[in-house]
mmCIF file with all atom_site columns, all heavy atoms in Angstrom:
data_model
loop_
_atom_site.group_PDB
_atom_site.id
_atom_site.type_symbol
_atom_site.label_atom_id
_atom_site.label_alt_id
_atom_site.label_comp_id
_atom_site.label_asym_id
_atom_site.label_entity_id
_atom_site.label_seq_id
_atom_site.pdbx_PDB_ins_code
_atom_site.Cartn_x
_atom_site.Cartn_y
_atom_site.Cartn_z
_atom_site.occupancy
_atom_site.B_iso_or_equiv
_atom_site.pdbx_formal_charge
_atom_site.auth_seq_id
_atom_site.auth_comp_id
_atom_site.auth_asym_id
_atom_site.auth_atom_id
_atom_site.pdbx_PDB_model_num
ATOM 1  N N   . MET N 1 93 ? 2.636  -28.171 -15.781 1.00 0.00 ? 1509 MET N N   1
ATOM 2  C CA  . MET N 1 93 ? 3.992  -28.143 -15.086 1.00 0.00 ? 1509 MET N CA  1
ATOM 3  C C   . MET N 1 93 ? 5.149  -28.266 -16.149 1.00 0.00 ? 1509 MET N C   1
ATOM 4  O O   . MET N 1 93 ? 5.011  -29.053 -17.121 1.00 0.00 ? 1509 MET N O   1
ATOM 5  C CB  . MET N 1 93 ? 4.150  -29.380 -14.186 1.00 0.00 ? 1509 MET N CB  1
ATOM 6  C CG  . MET N 1 93 ? 5.407  -29.532 -13.357 1.00 0.00 ? 1509 MET N CG  1
ATOM 7  S SD  . MET N 1 93 ? 5.290  -30.892 -12.293 1.00 0.00 ? 1509 MET N SD  1
ATOM 8  C CE  . MET N 1 93 ? 6.943  -31.394 -12.278 1.00 0.00 ? 1509 MET N CE  1
ATOM 9  N N   . THR N 1 94 ? 6.179  -27.459 -15.970 1.00 0.00 ? 1510 THR N N   1
ATOM 10 C CA  . THR N 1 94 ? 7.289  -27.468 -16.852 1.00 0.00 ? 1510 THR N CA  1
ATOM 11 C C   . THR N 1 94 ? 8.500  -27.724 -15.900 1.00 0.00 ? 1510 THR N C   1
ATOM 12 O O   . THR N 1 94 ? 8.423  -27.698 -14.789 1.00 0.00 ? 1510 THR N O   1
ATOM 13 C CB  . THR N 1 94 ? 7.621  -26.191 -17.645 1.00 0.00 ? 1510 THR N CB  1
ATOM 14 O OG1 . THR N 1 94 ? 7.932  -25.154 -16.746 1.00 0.00 ? 1510 THR N OG1 1
ATOM 15 C CG2 . THR N 1 94 ? 6.347  -25.816 -18.421 1.00 0.00 ? 1510 THR N CG2 1
ATOM 16 N N   . VAL N 1 95 ? 9.699  -27.917 -16.525 1.00 0.00 ? 1511 VAL N N   1
ATOM 17 C CA  . VAL N 1 95 ? 10.935 -28.084 -15.715 1.00 0.00 ? 1511 VAL N CA  1
ATOM 18 C C   . VAL N 1 95 ? 11.303 -26.792 -14.924 1.00 0.00 ? 1511 VAL N C   1
ATOM 19 O O   . VAL N 1 95 ? 12.012 -26.794 -14.043 1.00 0.00 ? 1511 VAL N O   1
ATOM 20 C CB  . VAL N 1 95 ? 12.082 -28.496 -16.533 1.00 0.00 ? 1511 VAL N CB  1
ATOM 21 C CG1 . VAL N 1 95 ? 11.861 -29.932 -17.009 1.00 0.00 ? 1511 VAL N CG1 1
ATOM 22 C CG2 . VAL N 1 95 ? 12.352 -27.581 -17.730 1.00 0.00 ? 1511 VAL N CG2 1
ATOM 23 N N   . ARG N 1 96 ? 10.728 -25.624 -15.351 1.00 0.00 ? 1512 ARG N N   1
ATOM 24 C CA  . ARG N 1 96 ? 11.025 -24.412 -14.744 1.00 0.00 ? 1512 ARG N CA  1
ATOM 25 C C   . ARG N 1 96 ? 9.959  -23.800 -13.821 1.00 0.00 ? 1512 ARG N C   1
ATOM 26 O O   . ARG N 1 96 ? 10.260 -22.991 -12.963 1.00 0.00 ? 1512 ARG N O   1
ATOM 27 C CB  . ARG N 1 96 ? 11.242 -23.314 -15.835 1.00 0.00 ? 1512 ARG N CB  1
ATOM 28 C CG  . ARG N 1 96 ? 12.471 -23.377 -16.570 1.00 0.00 ? 1512 ARG N CG  1
ATOM 29 C CD  . ARG N 1 96 ? 12.658 -22.240 -17.530 1.00 0.00 ? 1512 ARG N CD  1
ATOM 30 N NE  . ARG N 1 96 ? 13.895 -22.170 -18.200 1.00 0.00 ? 1512 ARG N NE  1
ATOM 31 C CZ  . ARG N 1 96 ? 14.308 -21.203 -18.857 1.00 0.00 ? 1512 ARG N CZ  1
ATOM 32 N NH1 . ARG N 1 96 ? 13.592 -20.163 -18.996 1.00 0.00 ? 1512 ARG N NH1 1
ATOM 33 N NH2 . ARG N 1 96 ? 15.470 -21.244 -19.445 1.00 0.00 ? 1512 ARG N NH2 1
ATOM 34 N N   . ASN N 1 97 ? 8.748  -24.286 -13.994 1.00 0.00 ? 1513 ASN N N   1
ATOM 35 C CA  . ASN N 1 97 ? 7.572  -23.614 -13.351 1.00 0.00 ? 1513 ASN N CA  1
ATOM 36 C C   . ASN N 1 97 ? 6.503  -24.756 -13.124 1.00 0.00 ? 1513 ASN N C   1
ATOM 37 O O   . ASN N 1 97 ? 6.173  -25.389 -14.176 1.00 0.00 ? 1513 ASN N O   1
ATOM 38 C CB  . ASN N 1 97 ? 7.097  -22.496 -14.161 1.00 0.00 ? 1513 ASN N CB  1
ATOM 39 C CG  . ASN N 1 97 ? 6.068  -21.636 -13.482 1.00 0.00 ? 1513 ASN N CG  1
ATOM 40 O OD1 . ASN N 1 97 ? 5.397  -22.028 -12.570 1.00 0.00 ? 1513 ASN N OD1 1
ATOM 41 N ND2 . ASN N 1 97 ? 5.897  -20.389 -13.919 1.00 0.00 ? 1513 ASN N ND2 1
ATOM 42 N N   . ASN N 1 98 ? 5.971  -24.906 -11.973 1.00 0.00 ? 1514 ASN N N   1
ATOM 43 C CA  . ASN N 1 98 ? 5.012  -25.843 -11.616 1.00 0.00 ? 1514 ASN N CA  1
ATOM 44 C C   . ASN N 1 98 ? 3.589  -25.483 -12.193 1.00 0.00 ? 1514 ASN N C   1
ATOM 45 O O   . ASN N 1 98 ? 2.695  -26.293 -12.282 1.00 0.00 ? 1514 ASN N O   1
ATOM 46 C CB  . ASN N 1 98 ? 4.815  -26.126 -10.217 1.00 0.00 ? 1514 ASN N CB  1
ATOM 47 C CG  . ASN N 1 98 ? 5.893  -27.065 -9.650  1.00 0.00 ? 1514 ASN N CG  1
ATOM 48 O OD1 . ASN N 1 98 ? 6.576  -27.730 -10.431 1.00 0.00 ? 1514 ASN N OD1 1
ATOM 49 N ND2 . ASN N 1 98 ? 6.184  -26.967 -8.358  1.00 0.00 ? 1514 ASN N ND2 1
#
Side-chain angles (χ1 to χ4, degrees):
M1509 183 176 148
T1510 68
V1511 293
R1512 290 184 170 190
N1513 188 340
N1514 283 339

